Amino acid sequence: MLTGNYAINMDAKGRMAIPTRAREELVELCGGRLVVTAHTQDPCVLIYPEPRWQEVLPGIQALPSMNSAARRVQRLLIGHACPMEMDGNGRILVPPTLRSRANLDKKLMLAGVGDKLELWDEDTWTTLMQGTSDDEIPEQLETLDF
């Protein structure tokens, strides 16, 4: 399970180092093999351990091709998907198209959300975490006891 959040930096070439704790988890989960792709709604990048991506991919591919929203999801997730492997220093290269889509610059936040990681611009992440949501609370959330 990928958890926690980390303030990290990206260099001018788009490389970022996965923090040690998360790196160790990823090595154990997938040998450092990852798939990096776009989020369908939020301005962030999703980083999947390769085995988890292989589980998710058939569901994305099975979406109805005659539905425009489904095609958009397929184009975002599959069209932006980049398989990669962490280098010996635990670094990955975030592709320019994904950096641009998520407005990623030097200062980033990497957040573990269970089965994947989310990579955010630090300012966007801070604003999101401080803000309130006008979204309707799902029934499943109302029944949780923290």
Side-chain angles (χ1 to χ4, degrees), residues 69-131:
R71 285 194 313 272
R72 180 180 184 278
V73 167
Q74 289 172 323
R75 289 176 183 134
L76 286 169
L77 290 171
I78 299 172
H80 283 92
C82 296
M84 58 186 57
E85 194 165 342
M86 289 187 298
D87 69 13
N89 295 319
R91 293 180 303 184
I92 61 170
L93 175 66
V94 181
T97 54
L98 290 173
R99 291 194 315 257
S100 176
R101 179 170 170 70
N103 300 313
L104 301 181
D105 201 14
K106 183 175 174 60
K107 293 182 176 252
L108 308 173
M109 285 299 293
L110 184 68
V113 291
D115 63 345
K116 63 187 166 290
L117 297 163
E118 293 180 347
L119 183 63
W120 291 82
D121 167 75
E122 185 179 62
D123 291 337
T124 304
W125 172 264
T126 301
T127 301
L128 180 69
M129 292 297 103
Q130 291 175 347

Side-chain angles (χ1 to χ4, degrees), residues 23-34:
R23 181 183 324 158
E24 290 169 354
E25 291 177 41
L26 289 170
V27 167
E28 185 176 321
L29 284 169
C30 61
R33 292 180 317 280
L34 309 169

